[in-house]
Amino acid sequence: MNSLTKISSLSFAVLLIWNCESKTPPMEFTPDMADSPARESQEADELSAINSASRIPPKGAIPVNYFPYDYRGVDVGSLPNKGLANPFKLDLATLKRGEDKYQVYCAPCHGVRGAGNGTIVGPSPKIGFPVPALISDKIKGYSDGQLYHVITEGWGRMGSYASQITPEDRWKIALYIRKLQEYDNKTKKETANK
């Protein structure tokens, strides 16, 4: 090792030890790297192209936990079938998740079996209006996309559940409703055969 290397190594070590045992804050050679100047959102920022501390998001940016939905405001009856196909396959885990979410969000009004007689509604409506039975022939004729749309946008007196139920869980609830409808068809056939 040459003497220049030895001197620089020794001085670096001394500086490092001196900095570690110091009771004062360490020396900062580039303080703006460690502590960037904070700005309030309404404050002017001369470094910005728009002279504002608020930054304009890039074109096409989507906020966190926001899922764009192309069918906002569309009536469920005029909803196109293409584009709203259920991306989930019917398996036990998907059906279980759909059942769990159905029991939490849908069963209080629509009932455990989807007959429109939930604990809030009961035999005579306690909430002042009848709740549609999900096992009715009309709802059985709906596509999975239409069921998803109703959960997302709401329908009639039912409000939107888009803020409470994730898009994936809405599709899983639609699959669970299909299972409730299949069970209803099966029990009707068994009753008719007796």
Side-chain angles (χ1 to χ4, degrees):
M1 273 180 144
N2 64 16
S3 61
L4 185 60
T5 308
K6 286 180 185 178
I7 292 172
S8 62
S9 298
L10 185 60
S11 63
F12 179 73
V14 168
L15 188 69
L16 185 67
I17 292 170
W18 175 69
N19 228 0
C20 290
E21 294 180 8
S22 173
K23 298 205 190 266
T24 60
M27 283 192 302
E28 291 184 23
F29 297 105
T30 53
D32 286 347
M33 295 289 287
D35 300 315
S36 61
R39 304 269 188 233
E40 295 294 327
S41 58
Q42 294 82 16
E43 188 177 353
D45 184 8
E46 62 278 351
L47 299 176
S48 171
I50 59 171
N51 199 25
S52 173
S54 295
R55 299 292 187 244
I56 298 174
K59 188 173 184 174
I62 297 174
V64 175
N65 294 328
Y66 173 77
F67 302 97
Y69 186 60
D70 296 335
Y71 303 104
R72 289 216 187 278
V74 176
D75 182 45
V76 71
S78 62
L79 191 68
N81 282 334
K82 57 185 172 182
L84 275 180
N86 199 329
F88 292 95
K89 302 285 186 233
L90 185 62
D91 61 8
L92 189 60
T94 302
L95 197 59
K96 177 68 177 140
R97 179 70 178 187
E99 179 184 12
D100 290 345
K101 292 300 177 180
Y102 177 88
Q103 297 303 332
V104 170
Y105 294 104
C106 310
C109 290
H110 293 285
V112 175
R113 299 269 184 220
N117 60 350
T119 55
I120 292 175
V121 180
S124 61
K126 297 173 191 165
I127 55 176
F129 58 91
V131 175
L134 299 176
I135 56 174
S136 69
D137 291 335
K138 179 181 179 181
I139 306 296
K140 285 178 184 177
Y142 280 13
S143 67
D144 285 358
Q146 287 174 309
L147 293 173
Y148 176 89
H149 181 73
V150 168
I151 297 168
T152 303
E153 288 287 296
W155 185 36
R157 293 185 185 227
M158 177 183 143
S160 168
Y161 278 86
S163 63
Q164 291 103 327
I165 306 172
T166 64
E168 294 83 16
D169 287 340
R170 287 179 237 157
W171 286 115
K172 293 173 183 179
I173 289 172
L175 288 174
Y176 181 70
I177 291 171
R178 291 286 178 233
K179 276 298 180 191
L180 289 177
Q181 293 169 346
E182 286 177 22
Y183 178 77
D184 181 62
N185 288 341
K186 181 180 171 186
T187 53
K188 283 181 180 176
K189 285 179 185 176
E190 289 174 358
T191 306
N193 289 338
K194 287 184 182 181

